[in-house]
Amino acid sequence: MDLWSSRTGFILAATGAAVGIGNIWRFPSVVGRNGGGAYLIPFLIAVFVFAVPLIILEINSGRRTRADIVATFRDVRPGFRIFGWFIVAIVILILSYYLVITGWILAFLVSAITGGDISLGSFTATYALVLSFTVSLGIVAAVLSLGVREGIERLTTVLMPLVFVILLGMAVFSVTLSGFSEGVAFFLTPDLSVLTDPLIWSAAFGQAFFSLSAGMGILITYGSYVGEEMDVPEAAAIIAVADVIVAVLAGIVIFPIVFTFDLEPSLGTELAFSTLPAAFSLLPGGRIVAGAFFGLLFAAAITSAVSMMEVGVSTVRGETQFSRRQATILVSVLVFFLGMPSLLSYTPFQLQVWGTPFLDLLDNSVGTLGLPVTALVISITFGYFARHEEVRVPRIERLTTTSTKYLLPPVLVAIIASQLFLGFDFPGWHTLPGSTLDRALVSAAILVCIGVLAYLLLRLQRAAAK
């Protein structure tokens, strides 16, 4: 049986799943645009009152069944396994374009290390992204083929401390910049008037779940490798605190650079791949700073990608007779082909749907609307239908049960409704682009298609069992 070797190994692996590239470049810009420090109030409420109880519920559900996510849903009710397949489909689709972004980061990291001159425009004007995407996918596959302890745990044990060291080092460096005071003030000065805006609360809750990987099935999968001696509530709190610290440190690093060079602080992807690299070139030791920044992003991207692919690998292993290596190869090939449309949308081919790059369309549908939907499915399934006496943790039973069963579902419904009817976009790589109702309806249609795919996978599994 696959198990984490230690409590520390699990916490670092789960933190690696939570800490992704969205924490580092998107969270600061959203905070800065939406009330500064005031935005942290609904965000921290979302994290510790809603997301942490869901994390505890997911980990304990996985630990109880010691199985993949489809089997965990099937354990609640046999017919519920379709929900497991639905979540697997969502996660794999997110991974398919997440690794495209990871390929961008890898290319910029190599350029920073070698002293090359690269820009997002010049990079996407060629097909070099195919190579960087393939290499990133290969790294993730190689890690997973080694197993839980030798692969996932060993990787995160090295990379997550490195992420914190690099962030702390860059934060110390940012203190020396002329724009430090102005940048930190922009980032953290509260504008309490924004707290009356329901969309800010919706954004904060969406960011909290996206940031912590709550409701994606990742922590059900990782929880299946947790030993009985683990104090799950304590581990969940540590993961949440570490994730928040990374997000705040990222703001302290980024905004002083932004204000030192009079850059636009509200940008998302463009800030990371266009304006910041230009600013790095003007800094003393800018090549080192650029290497540290993109090394930080790449480490965060790889650990998150590993956690997402493990959901698929674990499911294939659990639902077939495949070995870990065979399952890893199968899922890797699937991700490669699913990632091609997103990959081609930022190459000379410029694959678009209704004038929107395919990657952006997938992010605005599966990434934006899919995550609260999967979190809602998990909270209802394990809040109302699971055998609670086996899932709950006595010390925090009342808080966890109240939050995941009664408070969390209506909050998630409100987030989904805000996306569908108000056109509000919270967790994408771009910063609040202002989705239209048409795009929201397209998003809903795509999720329906994924549901149909999940049903077909279920039928295929039943046919194979016969």
Side-chain angles (χ1 to χ4, degrees):
M1 179 186 296
D2 288 323
L3 290 175
W4 306 108
S5 67
S6 66
R7 168 179 172 272
T8 301
F10 165 69
I11 290 175
L12 288 174
T15 303
V19 174
I21 50 184
N23 293 64
I24 296 171
W25 86 54
R26 185 187 178 278
F27 178 80
S29 62
V30 174
V31 171
R33 292 188 73 221
N34 295 279
Y39 179 89
L40 296 178
I41 296 173
F43 176 74
L44 292 176
I45 291 173
V47 167
F48 292 103
V49 178
F50 294 92
V52 167
L54 182 59
I55 288 172
I56 293 169
L57 186 69
E58 285 194 72
I59 294 172
N60 279 314
S61 297
R63 180 166 65 173
R64 176 173 59 82
T65 60
R66 299 286 182 204
D68 61 273
I69 186 171
V70 171
T72 300
F73 273 89
R74 183 171 60 236
D75 183 72
V76 178
R77 293 282 193 282
F80 284 5
R81 55 185 171 178
I82 189 172
F83 298 137
W85 282 116
F86 176 78
I87 293 173
V88 170
I90 291 286
V91 173
I92 292 299
L93 282 171
I94 291 174
L95 176 63
S96 72
Y97 71 81
Y98 192 92
L99 281 171
V100 174
I101 307 289
T102 305
W104 296 358
I105 297 169
L106 177 60
F108 275 76
L109 174 60
V110 171
S111 177
I113 293 173
T114 60
D117 184 17
I118 188 175
S119 67
L120 188 58
S122 64
F123 180 59
T124 56
T126 70
Y127 287 92
L129 179 54
V130 177
L131 176 61
S132 59
F133 167 74
T134 304
V135 170
S136 300
L137 175 59
I139 292 172
V140 173
V143 170
L144 288 178
S145 68
L146 295 174
V148 172
R149 291 190 182 186
E150 296 301 315
I152 302 172
E153 187 173 337
R154 180 169 292 184
L155 175 80
T156 52
T157 301
V158 172
L159 290 188
M160 290 318 299
L162 183 62
V163 164
F164 282 94
V165 168
I166 293 175
L167 265 177
L168 286 171
M170 294 188 74
V172 171
F173 172 77
S174 70
V175 175
T176 66
L177 300 176
S178 60
F180 177 78
S181 298
E182 188 179 2
V184 172
F186 175 83
F187 180 42
L188 296 178
T189 300
D191 175 11
L192 298 179
S193 65
V194 304
L195 296 181
T196 61
D197 185 351
L199 291 182
I200 297 301
W201 287 82
S202 177
F205 274 73
Q207 176 68 30
F209 285 99
F210 181 79
S211 175
L212 286 165
S213 297
M216 295 177 67
I218 290 172
L219 294 172
I220 292 177
T221 302
Y222 275 16
S224 69
Y225 309 138
V226 167
E228 294 299 330
E229 74 285 352
M230 179 77 69
D231 186 336
V232 174
E234 180 185 63
I238 292 172
I239 293 163
V241 169
D243 185 75
V244 170
I245 289 174
V246 167
V248 172
L249 279 176
I252 294 174
V253 167
I254 289 173
F255 283 119
I257 298 174
V258 167
F259 280 88
T260 296
F261 294 99
D262 195 27
L263 306 175
E264 172 55 53
S266 63
L267 298 176
T269 308
E270 187 178 343
L271 178 67
F273 291 107
S274 298
T275 55
L276 281 179
F280 293 150
S281 66
L282 301 176
L283 287 170
R287 180 174 164 184
I288 296 174
V289 176
F293 177 74
F294 286 107
L296 170 68
L297 284 180
F298 188 68
I302 286 295
T303 54
S304 294
V306 163
S307 69
M308 284 187 273
M309 188 179 283
E310 177 62 13
V311 173
V313 170
S314 172
T315 301
V316 171
R317 290 183 66 204
E319 303 303 313
T320 69
Q321 299 299 314
F322 284 8
S323 67
R324 169 169 285 275
R325 184 159 296 182
Q326 290 171 326
T328 301
I329 292 172
L330 176 62
V331 175
S332 298
V333 171
L334 177 63
V335 170
F336 180 83
F337 284 105
L338 288 175
M340 278 295 113
S342 296
L343 184 74
L344 293 175
S345 63
Y346 282 93
T347 65
F349 192 82
Q350 295 185 341
L351 178 61
Q352 297 184 350
V353 180
W354 299 301
T356 301
F358 187 87
L359 187 152
D360 293 39
L361 180 67
L362 201 59
D363 177 48
N364 287 323
S365 54
V366 178
T368 297
L369 191 58
L371 295 185
V373 170
T374 59
L376 181 63
V377 168
I378 289 173
S379 65
I380 291 177
T381 298
F382 297 105
Y384 284 89
F385 297 98
R387 296 189 293 275
H388 297 292
E389 67 277 8
E390 298 183 38
V391 175
R392 295 176 185 169
V393 180
R395 285 192 302 164
I396 49 88
E397 178 179 337
R398 181 174 299 175
L399 173 62
T400 301
T401 303
T402 300
S403 178
T404 56
K405 190 172 183 178
Y406 300 110
L407 300 180
L408 184 56
V411 167
L412 290 170
V413 168
I415 292 173
I416 295 167
S418 70
Q419 167 64 16
L420 283 174
F421 300 111
L422 301 178
F424 191 70
D425 185 15
F426 47 80
W429 311 120
H430 308 286
T431 302
L432 308 183
S435 302
T436 64
L437 179 60
D438 288 343
R439 185 193 297 177
L441 293 176
V442 170
S443 301
I446 291 175
L447 288 187
V448 170
C449 292
I450 295 172
V452 173
L453 174 61
Y455 176 74
L456 293 176
L457 287 171
L458 176 60
R459 294 295 299 269
L460 183 62
Q461 180 193 358
R462 287 176 176 172
K466 294 178 181 179

